[in-house]
Amino acid sequence: MRSYLRALAFAVTAALGFAHAPTALAQVDPLASWNDGPTKQAIVAFVSKATDEASPGFVPPAERIATFDNDGTLWVEHPMYTQLAFALERVKALAPKHPEWKTKQPFKAVLDNDLKALAAAGEKGLLELVMATHAGMSTAEFETIVTDWFAKARDPRFERPYTELTYQPMVELLAFLRANGFKTYIVSGGGIEFMRPITEAAYGVPPEQVIGSSIKTRYEMRDGVPVLMRLPAIDFIDDKAGKPVGIHEFIGRRPVAAFGNSDGDRQMLEWTGAGGGTRLMMLVQHDDAAREYAYGPASGLPDTKFGTFSASLLDEAKSKGWVVIRMKSDWKKIFAFEP
Amino acid sequence: MRSYLRALAFAVTAALGFAHAPTALAQVDPLASWNDGPTKQAIVAFVSKATDEASPGFVPPAERIATFDNDGTLWVEHPMYTQLAFALERVKALAPKHPEWKTKQPFKAVLDNDLKALAAAGEKGLLELVMATHAGMSTAEFETIVTDWFAKARDPRFERPYTELTYQPMVELLAFLRANGFKTYIVSGGGIEFMRPITEAAYGVPPEQVIGSSIKTRYEMRDGVPVLMRLPAIDFIDDKAGKPVGIHEFIGRRPVAAFGNSDGDRQMLEWTGAGGGTRLMMLVQHDDAAREYAYGPASGLPDTKFGTFSASLLDEAKSKGWVVIRMKSDWKKIFAFEP
């Protein structure tokens, strides 16, 4: 009789979809790559409070919106943004069709690997590179180009696909939030259509939860088939003060949690923090040159052109109770491929 | 023993969350306000095919995206778009603060109830009205204005809140699709921030699944608190060829089902239909002057300025297999408040 009851109990729990779940869950740490300490505790405390119906800080499931910057927050942004590496490699790939680029800046700088001349071309030069490599094709064609590039491209230092350079602790955090009823969004200064082909596999974030910078598109009929053509004109820059604008436009709700790593995320965290009730704002600080990179210039770290974390951002974080994640001490592991 | 087993079976099904559910479900028609016939059959056949894993037409849950126009597809758009009624009433409410409007068109036309002069002001005049009533406040302030207006405003013919003028068969269709794993989106030429305060209650569609026309916003600090200010400048027009653009920008996936009622929805249906696999495209035809309104000019119905359904749209629907919903014969009931 006892074994019959045990079998029945098993059948019922299995039918309920979580055979011996409470025990199993207690044994697996959903944030296994985080070192124990106040940073990890801040995450767990936030989620406990937000999901506890008896708590005055309870957040109804529909309002559990969490927004994540991408470059430097979810994956590596050094020695340059991945999308810039893509643009430079595309210029080289397209060069045979553009003989004029051999003598025309900023293209010449790219073809000559002349980073000094490229830097001298400034933002205007960068915009020219983006338009030459990101516009002039349909959205479907661009998706194929991006997907093919990610399959072949390798990061120069780690010699791995860029999609393997995601931060394992942040991937766990995304999953942990989703397991607790949060909807996770990416809100990046990067191109929305550059990210969408990979976010589901890399982060479990579907395309409709990706917000980013964009160029204009136009609906056209091509041989009787409708296409969206990518035009060489900026539509929206999802950075700095653009992040709250993009969040409001796409989501129409204020997030209750926001994660960034640079001055470009300041307004997203301010906007998130200005809502009432339970909140969590976090900034990743890159202070681990051995395992990843170290830059600031906050906390005396070297200055950078990609992902500036200024002293004034650190001051604001301190005064507003934003939690600074220190890669070196808070993360047991940075990449999934580490032993 | 038999009663013990019955009690156990009941406990198990209750624990599973659907006590005797299969029986109960079979008795309740999720599309009860639709008359039996080919239109209703087209919906049921589409959903059966899309959700049948054994079918070659199976659509994976992540790709089950359905987009709905709002005005004339989900709720009444005559005698004028609800948002236009809002703009006109707001001009009257704001008039005491704008004495110059007494002599300045198009405001004078609104205050004099002079629809002829208003029509003469054309699109430029309309834009002026929209900017005067929709811009110059924060997004939070605008949300309050809209919410308060919906609570008090009444449709002149039905003498009911506008939110009760939703089409019951379409509300059932939205719920039926969601119950089958579809994500339902609104894709409307109407203002995104005018719709969002009511779509959850009216349609079960959360703000993050509403796409619409928008004006620009700017992030600002007001007494140390961040706000998004609504600026008098068009950001995006989500109509006609803008609908596929908006869908691609916000969702990043092509819908597998799309529902509209006018020439403004043509490109959305074309874009949806041009994808491979299982598809459903439908157009609501307003042919019931007794219960709602009748206009076309397709099918010999009277012409209209709000929600034109042209003969060429009907031709395209026929040639491409889009299903025309005829309100008069396909809908048992139009509004939930009907007896």
Side-chain angles (χ1 to χ4, degrees), chain A residues 189-247:
Chain A
I192 190 167
E193 301 225 39
F194 179 73
M195 297 182 282
R196 277 176 166 163
I198 55 132
T199 55
E200 178 75 61
Y203 306 123
V205 175
E208 63 268 30
Q209 284 160 228
V210 177
I211 304 172
S213 297
S214 55
I215 60 176
K216 290 188 190 294
T217 63
R218 186 174 55 215
Y219 182 80
E220 279 179 16
M221 280 290 173
R222 209 158 68 176
D223 302 326
V225 178
V227 293
L228 288 169
M229 289 302 294
R230 291 171 58 80
L231 309 180
I234 293 288
D235 177 46
F236 176 59
I237 299 292
D238 189 46
D239 198 28
K240 299 194 171 75
K243 291 204 174 191
V245 169
I247 287 169

Side-chain angles (χ1 to χ4, degrees), chain A residues 87-102:
Chain A
L88 301 185
E89 291 186 25
R90 286 298 297 163
V91 165
K92 290 178 184 174
L94 293 168
K97 285 185 184 170
H98 295 273
E100 75 280 10
W101 286 356
K102 279 185 198 153

Side-chain angles (χ1 to χ4, degrees), chain A residues 12-332:
Chain A
V12 170
T13 47
L16 287 166
F18 53 91
H20 305 291
T23 320
L25 280 178
Q27 286 166 351
V28 177
D29 179 357
L31 299 173
S33 301
W34 293 75
N35 285 317
D36 291 328
T39 308
K40 182 173 180 173
Q41 274 166 25
I43 296 170
V44 174
F46 164 76
V47 170
S48 300
K49 202 169 156 190
T51 56
D52 175 6
E53 287 193 54
S55 160
F58 177 69
V59 179
E63 289 166 29
R64 291 184 202 156
I65 303 287
T67 55
F68 289 79
D69 169 57
N70 187 32
D71 295 308
T73 299
L74 296 180
W75 74 356
V76 174
E77 63 184 349
H78 273 211
M80 66 177 80
Y81 298 131
T82 304
Q83 192 172 2
L84 180 55
F86 165 78
L88 301 185
E89 291 186 25
R90 286 298 297 163
V91 165
K92 290 178 184 174
L94 293 168
K97 285 185 184 170
H98 295 273
E100 75 280 10
W101 286 356
K102 279 185 198 153
T103 54
K104 192 185 167 191
Q105 292 296 12
F107 303 97
K108 183 179 183 319
V110 177
L111 300 178
D112 297 346
N113 292 314
D114 182 351
L115 292 179
K116 218 167 158 182
L118 186 60
E123 273 196 29
K124 192 176 156 287
L126 208 60
L127 197 64
E128 273 186 83
L129 291 180
V130 168
M131 292 312 171
T133 52
H134 288 64
M137 70 290 279
S138 74
T139 54
E141 287 160 352
F142 185 69
E143 185 180 338
T144 301
I145 291 167
V146 170
T147 304
D148 291 351
W149 183 80
F150 270 114
K152 290 182 201 152
R154 295 293 178 272
D155 171 84
R157 170 172 166 190
F158 297 98
E159 298 177 338
R160 288 181 175 269
Y162 288 97
T163 46
E164 289 185 21
L165 299 188
T166 56
Y167 304 134
Q168 177 62 17
M170 297 304 284
V171 171
E172 290 170 6
L173 174 55
L174 283 160
F176 179 56
L177 288 172
R178 285 193 297 265
N180 283 283
F182 284 81
K183 223 173 191 175
T184 54
Y185 281 82
I186 290 173
V187 179
S188 168
I192 190 167
E193 301 225 39
F194 179 73
M195 297 182 282
R196 277 176 166 163
I198 55 132
T199 55
E200 178 75 61
Y203 306 123
V205 175
E208 63 268 30
Q209 284 160 228
V210 177
I211 304 172
S213 297
S214 55
I215 60 176
K216 290 188 190 294
T217 63
R218 186 174 55 215
Y219 182 80
E220 279 179 16
M221 280 290 173
R222 209 158 68 176
D223 302 326
V225 178
V227 293
L228 288 169
M229 289 302 294
R230 291 171 58 80
L231 309 180
I234 293 288
D235 177 46
F236 176 59
I237 299 292
D238 189 46
D239 198 28
K240 299 194 171 75
K243 291 204 174 191
V245 169
I247 287 169
H248 190 74
E249 175 84 2
F250 277 71
I251 311 177
R253 301 185 198 263
R254 193 192 298 256
V256 294
F259 306 86
N261 77 298
S262 79
D263 287 26
D265 304 311
R266 184 194 295 258
Q267 290 86 348
M268 174 168 75
L269 269 65
E270 287 173 349
W271 179 245
T272 302
T278 306
R279 305 275 141 178
L280 180 65
M281 283 69 65
M282 301 186 99
L283 287 168
V284 175
Q285 193 168 54
H286 296 256
D287 60 356
D288 192 337
R291 294 190 298 172
E292 202 243 10
Y293 295 95
Y295 49 93
S299 310
L301 295 164
D303 206 349
T304 177
K305 283 204 188 291
F306 301 103
T308 298
F309 190 137
S310 69
S312 81
L313 179 64
L314 187 58
D315 288 345
E316 186 166 348
K318 281 178 188 160
S319 76
K320 293 187 171 161
W322 302 348
V323 180
V324 177
I325 300 165
R326 292 188 166 77
M327 297 179 84
K328 197 168 180 172
S329 48
D330 285 324
W331 289 356
K332 203 173 285 176

Side-chain angles (χ1 to χ4, degrees), chain B:
Chain B
M1 184 63 185
R2 202 186 285 164
S3 72
Y4 166 75
L5 280 180
R6 208 155 47 207
L8 184 71
F10 180 80
V12 170
T13 46
L16 287 166
F18 53 92
H20 305 292
T23 319
L25 280 178
Q27 286 164 351
V28 175
D29 179 357
L31 300 173
S33 300
W34 293 75
N35 286 317
D36 291 327
T39 309
K40 182 174 180 173
Q41 273 166 25
I43 297 170
V44 174
F46 163 76
V47 170
S48 302
K49 201 170 157 191
T51 56
D52 176 6
E53 287 192 55
S55 159
F58 178 69
V59 179
E63 289 167 28
R64 291 184 202 157
I65 302 285
T67 55
F68 289 79
D69 169 58
N70 187 31
D71 296 307
T73 298
L74 296 180
W75 73 357
V76 174
E77 64 184 347
H78 273 210
M80 66 177 79
Y81 297 132
T82 303
Q83 192 172 2
L84 180 55
F86 165 78
L88 301 186
E89 292 186 24
R90 286 298 296 163
V91 166
K92 290 178 184 175
L94 293 167
K97 285 183 184 171
H98 295 273
E100 75 279 12
W101 286 357
K102 280 186 197 154
T103 54
K104 191 185 169 192
Q105 292 296 13
F107 303 98
K108 183 179 184 318
V110 177
L111 299 178
D112 296 348
N113 292 312
D114 182 351
L115 292 178
K116 218 168 160 182
L118 186 60
E123 274 196 28
K124 191 175 157 286
L126 209 60
L127 197 63
E128 274 186 81
L129 291 180
V130 168
M131 292 312 170
T133 52
H134 288 64
M137 71 290 280
S138 75
T139 53
E141 288 160 351
F142 186 69
E143 185 180 339
T144 301
I145 291 167
V146 170
T147 304
D148 291 350
W149 184 80
F150 270 114
K152 289 183 201 153
R154 295 293 177 272
D155 172 83
R157 171 172 164 190
F158 297 99
E159 298 177 336
R160 288 181 176 269
Y162 287 97
T163 46
E164 288 185 20
L165 299 188
T166 56
Y167 304 134
Q168 177 61 18
M170 297 304 284
V171 172
E172 290 170 6
L173 174 55
L174 283 160
F176 180 57
L177 288 172
R178 285 194 296 265
N180 283 284
F182 284 81
K183 224 173 191 175
T184 53
Y185 281 83
I186 290 173
V187 179
S188 168
I192 190 167
E193 300 224 40
F194 179 73
M195 296 182 282
R196 278 176 166 164
I198 55 133
T199 54
E200 177 76 60
Y203 307 122
V205 174
E208 62 268 31
Q209 284 161 229
V210 177
I211 305 172
S213 297
S214 55
I215 61 177
K216 290 188 190 293
T217 63
R218 185 174 56 214
Y219 182 81
E220 280 179 16
M221 280 291 174
R222 208 158 68 176
D223 301 326
V225 178
V227 293
L228 289 169
M229 289 301 294
R230 291 172 57 80
L231 311 179
I234 293 288
D235 176 48
F236 176 59
I237 299 293
D238 189 45
D239 198 27
K240 300 192 170 74
K243 289 205 175 191
V245 169
I247 287 169
H248 190 74
E249 174 85 1
F250 277 70
I251 312 178
R253 301 186 196 264
R254 193 191 299 256
V256 294
F259 306 85
N261 77 299
S262 78
D263 287 25
D265 303 311
R266 185 196 296 257
Q267 290 86 347
M268 174 167 76
L269 270 64
E270 287 173 349
W271 178 246
T272 302
T278 306
R279 303 277 141 177
L280 180 64
M281 283 69 65
M282 301 186 100
L283 287 168
V284 175
Q285 192 167 55
H286 296 256
D287 60 355
D288 192 337
R291 294 191 297 172
E292 202 243 8
Y293 294 95
Y295 50 92
S299 310
L301 295 164
D303 206 350
T304 178
K305 284 204 187 290
F306 302 103
T308 298
F309 190 136
S310 69
S312 83
L313 179 64
L314 187 58
D315 287 346
E316 186 166 347
K318 281 178 188 162
S319 76
K320 292 187 170 161
W322 302 347
V323 180
V324 177
I325 299 165
R326 293 190 166 77
M327 296 179 84
K328 197 168 179 173
S329 48
D330 286 325
W331 290 356
K332 204 173 285 178
K333 185 185 236 196
I334 292 185
F335 302 113
F337 59 75
E338 286 171 25

